[in-house]
Amino acid sequence: MDSTHHTPHPAVEPYRGDAELARLLKAAGIDRDVAGVRELLRGVRAAPEDVDPSHFLSLFGRDLPEELAAQLAALKSLIEAPPPPQVGDIAARVSALRAELSRMDLDGFVIPRADEFQGEYVPARSERLAWITGFTGSAGIAVVMRDRAAVFVDGRYTLQAEAQVSASLYERHHLTETFHGDWIAGIVKKGGRIGYDPWLHTVGWIDRMKTALGRAGAELVAVDTNPLDAIWHDRPSAPLGPVVAQALAQAGQSSADKRAEIAAELKRNGELAAVLTQPDGIAWLLNIRGGDVPNTPLPLSYALLTNDGDIDLFIDSRKLVPGLEVHLGNQVSVRKPEELRGALEAIGATGGKVRVDPVWTASWVFDRLTEAGARVVKERDPTVFRKAAKNTVEIAGTRAAHARDGVAVTRFLHWLSGAAAAGTLTEIEASDRLFEFRKEQPMFRGTSFDSISGAGPNGAIVHYRAAPETNRVLEKDSVYLIDSGGQYLDGTTDITRTVAVGTPPADAKRHFTLVLKGHIALATLRFPKGTTGSQIDILARQFLWAQGLDYDHGTGHGVGSFLSVHEESARIAKAPNTVAMVPGMILSNEPGYYRTGQYGIRIENLVLVRPAADIPGGDHPMMAFETLTLAPIDRNLIEPALLTEAEKAWLNAYHARVAEKVGPHLEADAAAWLATATAPI
């Protein structure tokens, strides 16, 4: 959900006590004691608030008696959500950690912004970096030594780290310019012991750190228990968002068929099994969705898939909704997460080949398998690229989701055209209003990432997050950028629109048009089989480069199907990428330009890779992009003289399609506004 929007709980009646709840549970035939219910609800409160505040009731069954549902809601309201991890006495925490390091005979400890799954979003209990430093960005790492400490963040978060991290406690460094391993090596004494939690790092990181520390004669030490967890006394519970089945009507392929396909590949390769540690891959494979982390419907879990199609799912069974076992079927065995160690050791003891993804899997998994005698095959998770190429049902679903999302975004843009004119509308108010428009759409399940709502100079901060202390008004004669997305049962959306508030600066119009030209260049591209995103990135930048301009982010990322908005796939960026684009992949097309202190510009649509129509005389079959996103691009920011006739034709055709698909679903005033907004240029 959008971090600036908080869905209120429905009005609840007073809690009538444990005895009454016990009576109601028994009457409903639910075999749970009140103490267990309280523990379950603590896990629910540790998960992100669902867009539907009553969704947690699915953990107790379907069609609950009203009186029982009301009492469960009442008890849930009495259980406080975990406090933000960054709130508290950071200096006291650092001091306590140093005492714990001394007790463990460690000279330092590395704290990444990561959990056991190496995902983009982490649950509250895994926000260790925020808890020990105060820094709440999505990427970073800290090192706490006996007498020094440092935090490392990338360029997106330089200003945020300066604001949130005490300079008296931590040195601040650029993540890519200064490797934290080298920083440690520069100050650690020979024989020093630097601790790390093997659940929170990959084997690639281990190798790099050992090399850096080895030069200083220091040792990298895996710890059995994280010293930070030992001092985080009010650490949140593990999240227990309900895990539900994804209907075949949205998935398009049964879990049994997916597992059989992968099992056959494992067998061909002589591999006994694959260890799966990416929750989005497990969700895709089993056709399930959860609610353990913000913005993405993930059921945090691990899985072990054998070459006969059987699968062990390591997950807290309390978050599986009643009846899910029927959906999972007989080939899926639900096991406790703590049983993973024994399962890895057992399969390792056979001495057979076991596939493990070296990019995303925690080094702890490799350690267990290697020590048990397995022949570890470092290959990519077999779900990664299968998941990236959507099937026909998923493609139909994402088209439908984008049509509904287009209605919500267009209503918002119409509303914004009037609301911003007064000069009092704030970034947070605008973002919250867009959330409400989306919430009215069928099948909406929350936002797909925290909205970037940037007015004027805040729009020039690429990954800006509006907060009370930075919340700007959308001033007259300025530029406003809103990057947002929705999670729907049938698709995931991601769209950026840059809007003129009043009369925009002339430079902003010129820059916007250059960005638009790059966007159109990608949208209209035809390309052969085997083409990678790094081979086409220049097309989006060429018009900016010609004017001595550029942007410092990628041009396109993969997008899931009611899963991760940043999905591993082909990627359109300067950095080399060996993953070829194939039909069914969904990518973003989002060139931009950012003038520090003035404005930010980005135009983002999602596109589907599909076969292109044959051209007479052509020698090779080609692919093309189909634009999925449906919302007007602000004509008030366009300099028509800078567009070619072909570019105008694309824009006019796109706007005609937006009007056709979205217009009939709007109220009369919004429809009239859209007709003007999409008029030919």
Side-chain angles (χ1 to χ4, degrees):
M1 290 188 53
D2 188 326
S3 61
T4 61
H5 185 98
H6 303 283
T7 303
H9 285 289
V12 295
E13 62 179 51
Y15 183 56
R16 300 204 296 264
D18 289 0
E20 176 64 2
L21 179 59
R23 183 188 71 80
L24 293 170
L25 288 166
K26 184 177 180 180
I30 297 174
D31 185 22
R32 291 182 184 269
D33 60 37
V34 174
V37 169
R38 285 181 177 272
E39 279 300 309
L40 177 60
L41 293 180
R42 269 189 276 275
V44 169
R45 292 294 268 155
E49 185 66 50
D50 197 276
V51 67
D52 174 8
S54 65
H55 184 54
F56 81 98
L57 293 171
S58 61
L59 291 167
F60 298 90
R62 300 178 62 181
D63 303 320
L64 294 181
E66 264 187 47
E67 193 176 12
L68 173 58
Q71 281 301 289
L72 288 169
L75 178 56
K76 176 173 174 271
S77 71
L78 296 178
I79 298 172
E80 292 187 5
Q86 71 274 19
V87 175
D89 188 340
I90 303 296
R93 294 172 182 175
V94 172
S95 178
L97 178 57
R98 285 183 168 136
E100 186 68 13
L101 295 182
S102 179
R103 189 189 69 77
M104 298 175 70
D105 191 27
L106 293 173
D107 297 290
F109 191 72
V110 183
I111 306 109
R113 202 275 180 173
D115 65 0
E116 300 90 327
F117 308 95
Q118 306 297 318
E120 178 179 7
Y121 297 106
V122 303
R125 74 184 273 104
S126 297
E127 290 281 11
R128 296 179 180 89
L129 182 63
W131 190 84
I132 198 65
T133 67
F135 172 69
T136 60
S138 65
I141 199 162
V143 179
V144 175
M145 305 289 285
R146 294 285 184 93
D147 56 359
R148 291 175 69 176
V151 65
F152 302 78
V153 301
D154 64 35
R156 296 174 296 170
Y157 294 118
T158 302
L159 297 178
Q160 184 174 335
E162 288 177 359
Q164 293 183 322
V165 180
S166 169
S168 65
L169 294 174
Y170 289 93
E171 300 174 25
R172 294 188 289 261
H173 295 282
H174 194 288
L175 188 64
T176 56
E177 294 175 359
T178 305
F179 175 49
H180 49 277
D182 293 335
W183 181 84
I184 297 171
I187 62 173
V188 69
K189 294 179 181 178
K190 188 174 182 179
R193 289 163 46 85
I194 305 300
Y196 74 98
D197 185 337
W199 273 111
L200 306 181
H201 300 275
T202 64
V203 289
W205 180 88
I206 303 294
D207 292 342
R208 192 177 179 196
M209 281 294 291
K210 284 183 175 179
T211 299
L213 296 183
R215 290 194 294 266
E219 181 185 3
L220 187 64
V221 180
V223 299
D224 292 327
T225 57
N226 192 310
L228 190 146
D229 296 351
I231 62 169
W232 189 354
H233 301 302
D234 59 349
R235 188 175 172 221
S237 301
L240 296 174
V243 179
V244 301
Q246 188 197 33
L248 192 60
Q250 276 90 49
Q253 184 182 14
S254 73
S255 173
D257 286 348
K258 293 176 182 179
R259 297 197 309 271
E261 185 180 306
I262 294 174
E265 179 187 322
L266 296 176
K267 192 163 286 187
R268 285 194 302 272
N269 294 340
E271 297 163 350
L272 293 179
V275 181
L276 309 180
T277 64
Q278 290 185 265
D280 65 334
I282 294 169
W284 173 85
L285 181 62
L286 296 178
N287 289 342
I288 57 177
R289 297 295 186 268
D292 288 334
V293 300
N295 303 312
T296 310
L298 297 183
L300 296 183
S301 54
Y302 314 96
L304 187 62
L305 175 65
T306 61
N307 64 15
D308 60 3
D310 289 342
I311 188 168
D312 286 345
L313 174 64
F314 300 89
I315 192 169
D316 190 327
S317 61
R318 292 178 297 171
K319 61 188 178 188
L320 306 183
V321 300
L324 189 66
E325 64 278 1
V326 176
H327 165 79
L328 293 174
N330 295 333
Q331 280 192 293
V332 180
S333 299
V334 176
R335 302 178 62 179
K336 297 177 181 178
E338 53 267 30
E339 293 178 10
L340 178 63
R341 176 190 286 267
L344 295 178
E345 291 173 346
I347 199 164
T350 67
K353 292 182 180 179
V354 181
R355 183 192 294 200
V356 190
D357 190 325
V359 178
W360 296 106
T361 304
S363 65
W364 183 93
V365 173
F366 286 89
D367 294 343
R368 300 291 77 73
L369 287 168
T370 302
E371 290 171 8
R375 286 183 287 164
V376 176
V377 178
K378 293 182 179 179
E379 290 288 349
R380 298 311 313 275
D381 181 322
T383 70
V384 169
F385 298 117
R386 287 179 169 87
K387 169 168 49 69
K390 278 62 180 176
N391 60 46
T392 55
V393 171
E394 290 172 318
I395 290 170
T398 199
R399 287 187 181 120
H402 277 87
R404 294 193 301 277
D405 200 62
V407 171
V409 173
T410 301
R411 283 176 172 163
F412 165 76
L413 293 172
H414 165 243
W415 168 84
L416 185 69
S417 67
T424 58
L425 181 68
T426 68
E427 295 166 338
I428 292 177
E429 288 170 341
S431 178
D432 281 355
R433 191 70 184 94
L434 176 53
F435 176 87
E436 294 300 328
F437 281 117
R438 279 199 170 103
K439 195 176 174 183
E440 294 170 3
Q441 292 301 310
M443 303 173 77
F444 180 65
R445 294 294 295 128
T447 52
S448 57
F449 59 98
D450 295 327
S451 296
I452 298 170
S453 178
N458 285 346
I461 303 171
V462 176
H463 289 269
Y464 173 70
R465 291 266 298 275
E469 60 271 20
T470 64
N471 191 23
R472 288 183 65 92
V473 167
L474 278 63
E475 298 172 347
K476 187 179 179 184
D477 301 335
S478 67
V479 174
Y480 170 64
L481 183 152
I482 176 75
D483 185 352
S484 68
Q487 291 285 11
Y488 298 85
L489 290 176
D490 52 357
T492 300
T493 70
D494 182 358
I495 173 176
T496 307
R497 286 297 181 262
T498 307
V499 180
V501 181
T503 303
D507 275 355
K509 294 183 67 172
R510 180 171 64 89
H511 293 145
F512 183 91
T513 309
L514 295 174
V515 170
L516 177 60
K517 287 169 74 69
H519 180 96
I520 295 171
L522 277 189
T524 56
L525 180 67
R526 297 169 63 94
F527 51 94
K529 179 180 178 181
T531 301
T532 67
S534 54
Q535 291 174 310
I536 66 173
D537 179 77
I538 188 175
L539 297 176
R541 300 177 190 267
Q542 59 181 311
F543 305 103
L544 291 166
W545 284 4
Q547 301 297 319
L549 309 171
D550 200 2
Y551 52 95
D552 290 332
H553 58 77
T555 304
H557 57 81
V559 179
S561 178
F562 186 39
L563 274 174
S564 302
V565 74
H566 298 131
E567 179 175 79
E568 189 168 2
S569 171
R571 187 167 186 267
I572 305 172
K574 292 179 183 178
N577 182 350
T578 59
V579 178
M581 295 177 288
V582 300
M585 282 184 173
I586 297 173
L587 301 166
S588 64
N589 173 4
E590 51 177 312
Y593 174 71
Y594 309 90
R595 175 154 283 189
T596 302
Q598 295 186 42
Y599 51 77
I601 293 165
R602 188 158 63 251
I603 304 170
E604 178 184 18
N605 288 341
L606 296 191
V607 295
L608 170 72
V609 180
R610 60 172 178 78
D614 290 336
I615 294 179
D619 292 327
H620 297 282
M622 291 284 164
M623 291 181 284
F625 292 127
E626 172 192 332
T627 296
L628 298 169
T629 305
L630 295 167
I633 295 169
D634 193 354
R635 294 165 73 254
N636 297 315
L637 277 166
I638 297 173
E639 285 283 10
L642 296 180
L643 296 179
T644 66
E645 291 305 311
E647 289 165 343
K648 291 177 185 177
W650 180 90
L651 181 65
N652 291 339
Y654 174 70
H655 274 158
R657 186 162 157 256
V658 170
E660 175 192 355
K661 299 289 186 181
V662 174
H665 303 283
L666 301 176
E667 302 78 10
D669 55 344
W673 175 87
L674 179 62
T676 300
T678 57
I681 197 164

